[in-house]
Amino acid sequence: MQLKGKTAIITGASRGIGRTIALSFAKEGANVIINYSNSEKAAVNVAREAMEYGIKSYAIKADVSNFYEVQKLVERVLNEFGSIDILVNNAGITKDNLLIRMSEEDFAKVLDINLKGTFNFTKAVSKIMIKQRKGKIINIASVVGIIGNAGQSNYAAAKAGVIGFTKSIAKELASRDINVNALAPGFIDTDMTSVLGDKIKAELINAIPMKKPGKAEDVANAAVFLASEHSNYITGQVINIDGGMVM
């Protein structure tokens, strides 16, 4: 098992990509903390499923945009396990609209969760990893943060910010053997994309050279690699998981 004995925090892990990453980590032997904001029942179910692999798992509520709540979660995990080895900043929301119709509140909320949330957890966990002189931080970005998308200026800005943040923090923490990388999924078949109409889905798939959407497992497999010892000499990178959508 690639992650045996490690302790990982996965934000926004009650469903979708976060859930799949958490279960993949558990399968590889890591203790997993399932962070959630609203979906308590779903988060508890993920933790129960993760424990079937013989590891420890807790569902802990915290608003990623609130540094006080984030700090409390991190302190609780450290007291319980003695170390924090892996952080996956996955929590994210969308509030899509054209710029002329987008409210200031919707723009700010998306940045608060997707970008500020990444800052909050990274800041809280990095202090611990610096003392440990080791750690893996994986930020879930998006190809939208690279190429943009009409109707998603807030989401694109947040994910582009995550990419820039990843590269900057990778440079700050590299001397302490802390790896900081980002994954940029493309069109992944999840709850978030299931609400799209058939016509939009067909157009998206047609734009992908591999002519099919990705699966949450595709992202999780890359996350396992970045969390493992196999990626020890990789930092500051953005890995697109998009079937060739962005080349």
Side-chain angles (χ1 to χ4, degrees):
M1 292 187 287
Q2 297 185 61
L3 307 178
K4 187 174 182 180
K6 303 291 186 181
T7 297
I9 298 173
I10 304 97
T11 70
S14 64
R15 62 188 178 92
I17 290 173
R19 173 185 179 276
T20 305
I21 290 174
L23 294 177
S24 296
F25 280 12
K27 186 177 181 180
E28 292 295 333
N31 301 311
V32 291
I33 308 307
I34 312 301
N35 161 251
Y36 70 96
S37 179
N38 297 308
S39 306
E40 180 179 9
K41 183 177 180 180
V44 170
N45 286 339
V46 175
R48 286 174 179 167
E49 192 173 347
M51 286 190 287
E52 293 177 5
Y53 292 105
I55 54 85
K56 292 182 179 179
S57 182
Y58 299 100
I60 306 179
K61 182 177 182 178
D63 177 358
V64 299
S65 67
N66 184 314
F67 185 75
Y68 175 78
E69 292 187 21
V70 168
Q71 187 69 48
K72 286 296 182 183
L73 183 152
V74 169
E75 289 173 358
R76 177 179 169 183
V77 175
L78 184 61
N79 290 336
E80 172 71 21
F81 295 98
S83 68
I84 297 175
D85 306 290
I86 305 160
L87 168 66
V88 180
N89 285 304
N90 167 76
I93 62 169
T94 58
K95 288 186 177 292
D96 298 349
N97 219 330
L98 295 174
L99 178 63
I100 58 173
R101 297 174 185 162
M102 185 178 293
S103 68
E104 183 181 353
E105 290 77 16
D106 282 353
F107 187 87
K109 185 65 175 179
V110 169
L111 264 70
D112 268 354
I113 300 297
N114 294 293
L115 182 54
K116 186 184 176 187
T118 298
F119 164 82
N120 284 342
F121 260 99
T122 303
K123 180 177 175 66
V125 166
S126 64
K127 295 178 181 178
I128 297 163
M129 291 183 172
I130 287 171
K131 291 181 180 179
Q132 296 172 171
R133 298 194 70 86
K134 63 177 182 177
K136 305 277 188 171
I137 299 173
I138 304 164
N139 298 325
I140 306 301
S142 170
V143 295
V144 172
I146 300 171
I147 62 174
N149 193 34
Q152 288 192 306
S153 59
N154 49 2
Y155 187 73
K159 292 303 187 180
V162 167
I163 290 171
F165 179 79
T166 298
K167 291 178 176 292
S168 297
I169 302 306
K171 290 183 177 181
E172 291 184 19
L173 301 181
S175 65
R176 301 300 180 98
D177 281 337
I178 300 169
N179 304 74
V180 187
N181 293 288
L183 298 175
F187 180 33
I188 306 297
D189 191 7
T190 64
D191 293 342
M192 187 179 289
T193 58
S194 66
V195 299
L196 298 174
D198 290 340
K199 183 179 179 181
I200 295 176
K201 287 182 181 179
E203 290 174 352
L204 288 169
I205 291 171
N206 190 55
I208 300 169
M210 294 187 75
K211 301 302 179 186
K212 61 181 180 180
K215 300 177 181 179
E217 288 80 6
D218 295 320
V219 183
N221 290 338
V224 168
F225 168 71
L226 290 178
S228 75
E229 300 299 312
H230 296 303
S231 66
N232 282 351
Y233 202 54
I234 299 173
T235 198
Q237 302 305 305
V238 181
I239 301 175
N240 295 344
I241 305 173
D242 63 357
M245 183 186 293
V246 179
M247 293 189 184

